[in-house]
Amino acid sequence: SNKIASGGTYTFTGAITGKISVDTTEKVTIILNGVTITGNDGAAIKCQEGSDVEIQLIGVNKITSAVDSDGINSEGDLTIAGEGSLVVKADDDGIHADGKLTIKNGDVAITAAEGLEATYVVIDGGTLKITATDDGINAANKSDKYSAKVEINGGDITIDMGQGDTDAIDSNGDLC
């Protein structure tokens, strides 16, 4: 099973059909090292409420969510880091966190309805390419722990979004 029930570091490689689920509030580090995850029931990576998860990227990694789902969904805080790459394809949000979503580095390409969505989105570095039919980056109140904010400190960001009522960056709070 790909269920993580306690804190620690977990490494995944190869092909996974289904999902990786984090069912703990202890600190978890997930190392994706050349992994392809094809979700067949909800998000390809799903983290429970109150979780604190860091995903480290090594090599080329690909995530495809199940129909009408997020690629990665955290009901807590989520950090993406590492020197590898991540390609996410999802019908809903590419990467979603109810709390704080931090992109430290890595080469992240997302094709989804919304690219990144969290209450508090922080981009510190890396290369981010988002193709969205709705908003590229969205800060919306999902958690009482943070105020809605998008904070960009670095990185190379490219956003292509759909026509209509869409925004490249949509902060329902602060933008800094």
Side-chain angles (χ1 to χ4, degrees):
S1 167
N2 297 313
K3 184 177 276 196
I4 297 171
S6 60
T9 300
Y10 300 84
T11 301
F12 295 91
T13 61
I16 297 171
T17 299
K19 73 174 77 172
I20 297 170
S21 59
V22 176
D23 298 329
T24 180
T25 56
E26 297 172 16
K27 175 72 178 155
V28 170
T29 300
I30 295 173
I31 298 172
L32 298 181
N33 186 355
V35 70
T36 299
I37 305 171
T38 305
N40 60 5
D41 178 24
I45 298 177
K46 175 72 175 161
C47 309
Q48 78 163 40
E49 185 175 349
S51 59
D52 182 8
V53 176
E54 178 165 318
I55 297 175
Q56 288 277 343
L57 305 173
I58 299 173
V60 177
N61 302 282
K62 297 177 181 178
I63 291 176
T64 304
S65 72
V67 175
D68 297 330
S69 299
D70 298 336
I72 300 172
N73 179 288
S74 172
E75 295 178 18
D77 294 345
L78 180 66
T79 300
I80 307 291
E83 298 303 321
S85 68
L86 177 63
V87 176
V88 178
K89 292 185 179 172
D91 284 347
D92 200 0
D93 298 341
I95 303 175
H96 175 103
D98 285 355
K100 184 177 184 180
L101 171 59
T102 305
I103 308 291
K104 287 187 176 177
N105 50 12
D107 185 353
V108 180
I110 299 170
T111 302
E114 292 198 344
L116 303 177
E117 183 173 30
T119 300
Y120 183 13
V121 178
V122 179
I123 301 171
D124 288 332
T127 301
L128 192 57
K129 293 179 182 151
I130 298 172
T131 303
T133 55
D134 194 350
D135 298 333
I137 299 171
N138 187 14
N141 287 313
K142 308 280 181 192
S143 165
D144 294 336
K145 192 174 172 183
Y146 304 100
S147 297
K149 180 193 286 189
V150 175
E151 177 182 328
I152 300 173
N153 300 309
D156 181 356
I157 304 167
T158 303
I159 301 172
D160 290 323
M161 71 267 177
Q163 300 295 313
D165 185 19
T166 62
D167 302 301
I169 300 173
D170 180 3
S171 178
N172 293 281
D174 294 333
L175 175 63
C176 55

